[in-house]
Amino acid sequence: QSALTQPASVSGSLGQSITISCTGTSSDVGGYNYVSWYQQHPGKAPKLMIYDVSNRPSGVSNRFSGSKSGNTASLTISGLQAEDEADYYCSSYTSSSTYVFGTGTKVTVL
Amino acid sequence: QVQLVQSGAEVKKPGASVKVSCKASGYTFTSNYIYWVRQAPGQGLEWMGIINPSGDSTNYAQKFQGRVTMTRDTSTSTVYMELSSLRSEDTAVYYCAREGAGDIGYAFDIWGQGTMVTVSS
């Protein structure tokens, strides 16, 4: 199972919006609405930000939103804040009843 | 509160095995699957497999088939991940993570703090 493809880095200024893409295949992203997104600060465990493509767990800011079109899912962060600077990973359930993560995206706040 | 607490760092020689534990608390242990994910230094997340604490069924990523074994002890609410025939490429932080509760079915909502495993001669 190959990793889902994400851009290596995305940057934006304070207050701006950015979007991170996550491209897979019809056997994972395109086949199921089970895409999730994780935020990871250096030296810390990942934190769930979005599940089932577009749902936010309790306590996650509504500045984070998710969507999907075909084999590509996206995470949008609006009103970018300094604390949003982190690595972000997507994940998808697959046709093999396993999971696959994305390659990861480093978000830099300018 | 709901948490997963993992065992401490390990240093192993190539060819050896390592067994990492993950103790659950704050929820009903048998209600949610537990996943294992690893992250090599400076690299991304890699899904290793899943164990059902209720029935002990497992599903491993193809890459680790034959080298990984996931087990659980319901008396102590602990799951274990054992990786054998270690090589330098297995040097990584190993995380356990819980299947999401309630509506959060196909995601990992609670993570352990991670266990660093170093494979070096």
Side-chain angles (χ1 to χ4, degrees), chain B residues 13-16 63 67 84-91 119-120:
Chain B
K13 293 193 181 303
K63 174 177 180 176
R67 276 211 307 145
S84 62
S85 302
L86 290 169
R87 35 205 187 234
S88 58
E89 309 89 89
D90 294 317
T91 294
V119 182
S120 173

Side-chain angles (χ1 to χ4, degrees), chain A residues 6-108:
Chain A
Q6 298 181 230
S9 63
V10 172
S11 62
S13 300
L14 281 169
Q16 281 191 328
S17 293
I18 61 168
T19 297
I20 303 168
S21 61
C22 168
T23 301
T25 69
S26 58
S27 296
D28 38 65
V29 175
Y32 306 90
N33 287 324
Y34 297 141
V35 175
S36 51
W37 290 89
Y38 302 86
Q39 176 192 65
Q40 186 180 35
H41 287 109
K44 301 294 187 181
K47 174 187 176 183
L48 177 64
M49 305 302 284
I50 294 287
Y51 68 95
D52 293 355
V53 175
S54 59
N55 295 308
R56 279 187 312 276
S58 174
V60 172
S61 171
N62 60 9
R63 297 186 297 104
F64 292 84
S65 61
S67 62
K68 191 185 86 167
S69 177
N71 295 338
T72 299
S74 299
L75 173 72
T76 297
I77 309 174
S78 58
L80 204 57
Q81 300 182 1
E83 60 262 34
D84 299 332
E85 186 161 295
D87 294 327
Y88 291 82
Y89 295 90
C90 59
S91 176
S92 176
Y93 183 73
T94 81
S95 59
S96 302
S97 300
T98 61
Y99 287 80
V100 61
F101 283 99
T103 50
T105 298
K106 180 177 181 59
V107 169
T108 301

Side-chain angles (χ1 to χ4, degrees), chain B residues 35-75:
Chain B
Y35 305 91
W36 287 90
V37 175
R38 77 177 186 179
Q39 185 171 36
Q43 303 300 309
L45 302 173
E46 182 173 31
W47 189 84
M48 298 181 68
I50 179 176
I51 181 168
N52 178 358
S54 176
D56 205 25
S57 60
T58 57
N59 188 18
Y60 304 138
Q62 191 170 11
K63 174 177 180 176
F64 300 102
Q65 295 269 3
R67 276 211 307 145
V68 70
T69 304
M70 297 176 188
T71 57
R72 95 301 192 215
D73 182 345
T74 55
S75 69

Side-chain angles (χ1 to χ4, degrees), chain B residues 1 5 16 19 21 23 28 40 43 50 52 60 62 73 79 86 88-90 99 104-105 109-110 113-114 117:
Chain B
Q1 76 278 24
V5 178
K19 191 170 187 177
S21 68
K23 183 174 175 61
T28 302
Q43 303 300 309
I50 179 176
N52 178 358
Y60 304 138
Q62 191 170 11
D73 182 345
V79 298
L86 290 169
S88 58
E89 309 89 89
D90 294 317
E99 170 200 45
I104 309 176
D109 68 344
I110 302 294
Q113 82 275 22
V117 174

